[in-house]
Amino acid sequence: MRPISIGQFIFSALVLVFFLMITVQPAAAQSAALDASANRGTVPVTADPDPAGSIKGVVTTSDGKPAADVTIVISGTKKFALTDGDGKFAFRHLQPGEYLLEVSLVGYETIKQQVTITGSQALSLTIRLNAAQKMLDELTVTGVYNKFNKKETEDVARLPLKNLENPQSYTVVTREIMQEQQITDYVSIFKNIPGAGIPIVYNQGRTSMFARGFMTDNLIRNSVSGFVYTNIDPANLQRVEAIKGPSGTLFNSSMISFGGLFNRVTKKPVDRNFTELSYSAASFDLNRLTMDFNRVLDTAHNTLFRLNAAVGTQQSFQDAGFSRNLMVAPSFSYKVNDRLSLLLDVEASTFNATSPIRFTPSTKGKITNIKDLGIDYKKSFTNNSLDYKTQQLNVFGQVNYQLSEGWRSQTNYTRTYSATKGYVTQLIGYGKTDDSLQQQAQIEDFPYNGTEIQQNFIGDTRIGNLRNRVVIGVDVFNQKSNRNTPTVNMTPINFLHPGAAYNNFNAAKIDSAAAHAAYQIYRTNIYTYGVYVSDVINITPQLNVMLSLRGDRFDNKGTYYPAQDSTAGAYTQNALSPKLGIVYELLPERLSLFGNYMNGFSNTGGADFNGVGFKPQQAYQWEGGIKLDLLGHRISSTISYYHIDVSNTTRDDIDHPGYSIQDGVQLSRGIEAEVIANPMPGFNVVAGYSYNDSRYTTANKNVEGLRPATAGPQTLANLWLSYRLISGKLRGLGAGFGGNYGSSQFQTNTTTFSFQIPSYTVLDATVFYDQQHYRLGVKVDNLTNERYWSYRLAPQMPIRVTADITIKF
């Protein structure tokens, strides 16, 4: 019998866990000796006495709204209950006596209430939570048990749609899982996103990931442009949303890929006072301090302020390389009156680092796998004097105004600045031998400036008997850049035996050579004007249809070259982007079937041999699947199949050398699955699986029929298991374990040369103790010390231990 692979094993385990969670009742509910209806709090409050005593009640927020999935524990016993969607709960079969109820919910202080049962008394309670303790991101309550299940967001559809109402696939990585996994760098967040793969870190610290077979940059912040070509610090993030598929209808297509987009949502001021200070220390001399400070500035609770900050240093695991960062992120909100509210959110940072390793193999060598090449995993082939500094400033403003009962106005404004100054480096395979490389450096002075203004009108109204949830919007986007860069190539060296030449790659040598190098000096300037409308129509309470359309005007002012006092490459293009979505809730609020037909586009400059200008590349996706939200939010899952056709790609015109024709086609199709579950109290599961089949169907002959190297691994899987004690003297003690698997992928894949990156399995584990005023944690990344590489052939972090302490007051 053929042995099973690691990837097949993980996928089989995911399927087994998923079906067990659907078919098996929570073990703790059985051990609590409660009947199912009592344990889930579904029994209505009545005056009829039970055979024994009982406690029934309802939990509300301070504004009188029911609070779902609140935990109520009878102290000293194994009995517990969760409130249902109406805030109700019940305990049955209680003997006469005194009981202490502990009522808890994430973001609220625990309430303790003493009650007395006499005989067969049916005691009825109303418990009110203090709204001032509520965190902004917990408007949709998913409870202390399934703490990673926070799928409700307005960002995906720009409308307040529930996950089961939304005809699009998406994943939300919450701050709760970031905290449990002791995330200290932005790229580690993506371990929890199905199909994201190993992040690609570029020379300036900016990053890309994979989404449905396409490289996808991190250019969206708070649902609008967050265009920064620098490092992103996770300390200011509330969550990261991976929105799948070509979403050009509601987002600026120049900021996303045909596979989707990653929206980073920042922390906003909330209506309570708190301070959190965290310190992390890890292998390779990581030192990191973060602060989260929030204050209510007036007695009416209309003026709120929040400040997040981070400072850190770290050395590379290789013989050279470092990073140092400083980030401050103040945010301010003001409620002018019941109709008008204002938000200002600022993020500023500096980052000083050396370039991550990047290696491009020689296409004339005989070795075709990075693992066989023999490059020393811990040699950087660079020098700490070859560093760069970046700056970024991201300003986001939002004005919300309630126009009427059914309509509101939302105005968004963002201004971004990011600049890199210093040395960026890469390594290039050289000549016909497999053991030679050439070191290359650029001295960058490269600022980017971006501005986006967006106006949305969001409504919830009826036309006849049909409910319509509508967004109508316009946006204007501008991006400018300036480049001033010389490139220096060093004398090739033997990377197996570099000798004294190893030390020649330094700032003094590069500066000397740059004095005679040619400079790239130019400026770019582009504008995008968009208008869009999206309407979700409820045909019946269980059936809704989404109809969306966007029109774009792209205006590239061209690239200006000061030396020639000339501009080249200017062009304009228009594009339409439609979207159709259908959702049918087979079981209302529990099981829905969904399908979508979506479009995204990418602007392409140039013309063919006959002078006919190129059109925008277009990606069309159709997708179908199911979404689950079962057992009172204990199981949330999305499983889908997608098919993406990309047309209007360019390829070489073999009849007219030097020209291109625009008839290329690329296909990307696959399966994605995600499960977020709470099989038993205190035990949480996050699991994902993706399979992607991607190929060029019409392209240059050297790649036609092949998988693009930029499509990433064909199979990816992620898993995180977490258990935390929720009662007893050790309440708050927990552990987590998980990992990621990726099949082999290509760095280059053509008919003449193919270079492979091997598959990988990386395992992580953590132990933590979380209390009201402090949190202690220890995390081990890459437990088995796996050696693995990114698409750019950058060696990834070996085993690393991180210790963390957080003080909360």
Side-chain angles (χ1 to χ4, degrees):
M1 185 174 68
R2 188 175 62 180
I4 189 170
S5 70
I6 292 292
Q8 292 170 324
F9 173 78
I10 292 178
F11 177 59
S12 301
L14 296 182
V15 173
L16 179 60
V17 169
F18 173 71
F19 283 106
L20 283 176
M21 290 185 296
I22 291 179
T23 57
V24 179
Q25 290 293 327
Q30 298 170 3
S31 66
L34 301 174
D35 62 54
S37 63
N39 190 48
R40 294 299 304 148
T42 57
V43 180
V45 177
T46 66
D48 298 332
D50 288 320
S54 65
I55 302 173
K56 303 176 183 180
V58 61
V59 180
T60 70
T61 57
S62 60
D63 56 3
K65 295 181 180 180
D69 284 349
V70 177
T71 308
I72 303 101
V73 177
I74 299 180
S75 182
T77 75
K78 294 183 179 180
K79 295 182 182 291
F80 72 94
L82 295 177
T83 58
D84 64 9
D86 297 321
K88 296 177 181 178
F89 70 94
F91 291 97
R92 290 184 174 180
H93 313 302
L94 299 176
Q95 296 301 315
E98 293 187 351
Y99 295 92
L100 178 64
L101 302 184
E102 296 185 10
V103 184
S104 61
L105 181 65
V106 174
Y108 294 79
E109 292 183 0
T110 300
I111 295 174
K112 295 184 179 182
Q113 183 163 337
Q114 191 81 32
V115 297
T116 303
I117 298 293
T118 303
S120 60
Q121 178 184 11
L123 189 64
S124 181
L125 303 174
T126 298
I127 301 173
R128 179 165 294 185
L129 298 175
N130 186 357
Q133 303 299 315
K134 194 170 186 178
M135 299 291 288
L136 183 63
D137 193 55
E138 290 156 357
L139 290 175
T140 301
V141 180
T142 55
V144 71
Y145 287 126
N146 204 356
K147 57 185 177 180
F148 304 141
N149 180 20
K150 292 187 176 179
K151 295 280 288 188
E152 313 307 332
T153 173
E154 291 190 22
D155 301 323
V156 179
R158 299 197 185 278
L159 288 169
L161 291 183
K162 296 179 180 178
N163 177 39
L164 265 64
E165 297 178 295
N166 197 317
Q168 190 166 0
S169 299
Y170 61 94
T171 293
V172 178
V173 182
T174 66
R175 64 183 178 86
E176 284 81 6
I177 198 167
M178 294 183 212
Q179 181 186 61
E180 181 167 299
Q181 294 178 351
Q182 295 177 228
I183 298 295
T184 59
D185 58 276
Y186 180 67
V187 296
S188 294
I189 295 171
F190 290 81
K191 291 182 176 182
N192 303 290
I193 296 177
I198 301 171
I200 303 155
V201 183
Y202 296 94
N203 294 335
Q204 305 89 347
R206 63 188 177 94
T207 53
S208 289
M209 287 76 183
F210 297 106
R212 297 193 167 179
F214 300 91
M215 279 190 181
T216 305
D217 293 333
N218 286 277
L219 302 177
I220 302 290
R221 180 178 184 269
N222 293 325
S223 299
V224 292
S225 169
F227 189 94
V228 288
Y229 261 27
T230 60
N231 177 65
I232 297 170
D233 196 291
N236 191 38
L237 292 178
Q238 186 68 26
R239 62 183 183 272
V240 172
E241 300 169 343
I243 302 174
K244 305 299 183 67
S247 305
T249 307
L250 296 176
F251 294 89
N252 184 339
S253 273
S254 61
M255 296 285 100
I256 68 175
S257 83
F258 294 146
L261 65 120
F262 301 116
N263 179 33
R264 56 189 193 274
V265 180
T266 59
K267 296 177 181 177
K268 309 297 192 303
V270 296
D271 191 12
R272 69 184 183 105
N273 294 329
F274 67 87
T275 302
E276 288 191 5
L277 295 175
S278 295
Y279 172 71
S280 299
S283 309
F284 315 116
D285 298 315
L286 176 117
N287 284 282
R288 177 175 169 83
L289 183 66
T290 65
M291 178 182 71
D292 190 350
F293 174 84
N294 192 91
R295 284 297 179 270
V296 179
L297 300 183
D298 64 347
T299 56
H301 290 247
N302 291 328
T303 310
L304 309 176
F305 173 78
R306 192 168 187 174
L307 176 65
N308 279 271
V311 60
T313 65
Q314 183 175 15
Q315 298 296 120
S316 171
F317 69 89
Q318 296 182 311
D319 61 350
F322 69 89
S323 65
R324 303 163 187 149
N325 76 290
L326 173 65
M327 184 275 294
V328 292
S331 55
F332 174 86
S333 68
Y334 178 54
K335 182 180 178 182
V336 180
N337 52 48
D338 290 340
R339 287 176 173 260
L340 178 63
S341 63
L342 311 174
L343 172 68
L344 178 64
D345 175 294
V346 179
E347 191 173 73
S349 69
T350 63
F351 186 64
N352 178 209
T354 53
S355 296
I357 296 301
R358 172 189 179 184
F359 179 68
T360 304
S362 170
T363 60
K364 299 177 181 180
K366 296 181 180 179
I367 294 177
T368 58
N369 191 306
I370 182 62
K371 208 165 188 176
D372 300 330
L373 204 56
I375 294 182
D376 192 324
Y377 199 79
K378 294 187 177 182
K379 272 192 168 60
S380 65
F381 296 91
T382 186
N383 186 284
N384 279 355
S385 66
L386 295 172
D387 66 329
Y388 64 87
K389 293 181 180 179
T390 66
Q391 292 180 317
Q392 73 108 338
L393 178 63
N394 209 321
V395 179
F396 172 78
Q398 186 176 85
V399 179
N400 285 288
Y401 184 75
Q402 194 71 36
L403 298 169
S404 64
E405 183 178 350
W407 286 91
R408 62 186 170 96
S409 166
Q410 182 189 78
T411 306
N412 297 315
Y413 170 84
T414 183
R415 190 72 178 264
T416 64
Y417 167 80
S418 63
T420 303
K421 194 165 186 176
Y423 307 92
V424 297
T425 61
Q426 66 171 320
L427 309 175
I428 304 171
Y430 186 83
K432 297 181 179 180
T433 62
D434 287 313
D435 55 4
S436 296
L437 64 79
Q438 184 177 53
Q439 297 146 314
Q440 184 185 89
Q442 292 182 338
I443 306 176
E444 286 198 350
D445 186 352
F446 206 171
Y448 282 89
N449 288 278
T451 303
E452 184 170 2
I453 302 173
Q454 182 184 85
Q455 174 62 52
N456 295 314
F457 295 99
I458 302 167
D460 189 343
T461 185
R462 288 187 175 273
I463 300 176
N465 294 324
L466 301 179
R467 182 187 181 190
N468 288 259
R469 283 168 285 182
V470 184
V471 58
I472 303 170
V474 296
D475 60 26
V476 179
F477 172 72
N478 172 245
Q479 179 189 297
K480 299 176 182 178
S481 69
N482 292 272
R483 190 175 183 95
N484 185 343
T485 306
T487 300
V488 174
N489 293 307
M490 301 294 290
T491 302
I493 64 171
N494 183 305
F495 62 72
L496 296 179
H497 307 286
Y502 187 80
N503 297 320
N504 288 339
F505 198 37
N506 56 62
K509 296 278 188 181
I510 297 301
D511 288 343
S512 176
H516 308 286
Y519 273 65
Q520 288 183 305
I521 302 175
Y522 59 81
R523 297 199 299 266
T524 65
N525 188 9
I526 64 170
Y527 287 86
T528 300
Y529 308 91
V531 57
Y532 49 89
V533 60
S534 182
D535 187 4
V536 177
I537 307 169
N538 277 94
I539 308 299
T540 71
Q542 292 173 248
L543 174 65
N544 72 61
V545 175
M546 174 185 285
L547 301 172
S548 310
L549 181 66
R550 179 188 182 99
D552 251 35
R553 171 72 170 178
F554 180 79
D555 185 5
N556 187 332
K557 299 296 184 181
T559 302
Y560 175 69
Y561 298 93
Q564 292 80 32
D565 191 23
S566 64
T567 300
Y571 69 97
T572 59
Q573 285 181 340
N574 300 320
L576 289 177
S577 181
K579 178 180 179 180
L580 168 66
I582 300 175
V583 174
Y584 182 72
E585 294 190 48
L586 200 61
L587 299 174
E589 299 187 2
R590 288 178 289 169
L591 170 64
S592 67
L593 307 178
F594 73 95
N596 64 62
Y597 181 76
M598 298 168 53
N599 172 270
F601 54 90
S602 176
N603 297 101
T604 304
D608 62 17
F609 176 76
N610 297 313
V612 178
F614 292 140
K615 302 175 183 178
Q617 293 184 39
Q618 297 277 358
Y620 293 94
Q621 170 186 279
W622 62 265
E623 179 182 19
I626 63 172
K627 293 186 178 184
L628 305 172
D629 195 339
L630 303 176
L631 303 177
H633 306 298
R634 286 181 179 271
I635 299 176
S636 174
S637 179
T638 301
I639 304 172
S640 71
Y641 172 82
Y642 62 87
H643 182 110
I644 302 172
D645 281 303
V646 180
S647 60
N648 292 342
T649 62
T650 57
R651 63 188 181 95
D652 295 340
D653 186 345
I654 59 176
D655 295 324
H656 304 97
Y659 288 89
S660 297
I661 54 178
Q662 195 179 31
D663 64 352
V665 178
Q666 181 180 344
L667 169 67
S668 183
R669 58 189 176 186
I671 298 171
E672 284 185 342
E674 177 190 56
V675 177
I676 307 171
N678 168 224
M680 55 183 282
F683 181 48
N684 296 88
V685 179
V686 175
Y689 173 83
S690 70
Y691 173 83
N692 173 261
D693 174 24
S694 188
R695 68 188 66 182
Y696 294 111
T697 56
T698 304
N700 291 338
K701 295 304 179 183
N702 67 330
V703 296
E704 191 169 87
L706 301 181
R707 180 177 180 84
T710 54
Q714 191 170 61
T715 302
L716 289 161
N718 61 281
L719 178 65
W720 185 253
L721 308 175
S722 169
Y723 183 72
R724 174 179 174 176
L725 297 174
I726 62 172
S727 62
K729 294 182 179 180
L730 294 178
R731 179 178 180 178
L733 179 64
F737 175 80
N740 294 79
Y741 165 80
S743 61
S744 62
Q745 61 174 308
F746 296 100
Q747 187 275 336
T748 303
N749 190 26
T750 70
T751 56
T752 56
F753 180 74
S754 179
F755 197 86
Q756 279 199 328
I757 306 169
S759 63
Y760 63 90
T761 301
V762 179
L763 303 177
D764 307 322
T766 184
V767 177
F768 58 89
Y769 187 53
D770 198 354
Q771 295 297 297
Q772 183 176 357
H773 296 296
Y774 65 92
R775 186 183 191 278
L776 306 174
V778 176
K779 172 82 178 297
V780 182
D781 291 287
N782 197 357
L783 277 165
T784 59
N785 205 25
E786 177 91 341
R787 291 194 171 188
Y788 63 114
W789 295 261
S790 73
Y791 163 76
R792 286 163 66 97
L793 301 182
Q796 300 299 294
M797 187 80 71
I799 186 171
R800 180 178 72 167
V801 180
T802 304
D804 177 88
I805 179 171
T806 299
I807 307 299
K808 301 178 279 186
F809 52 93

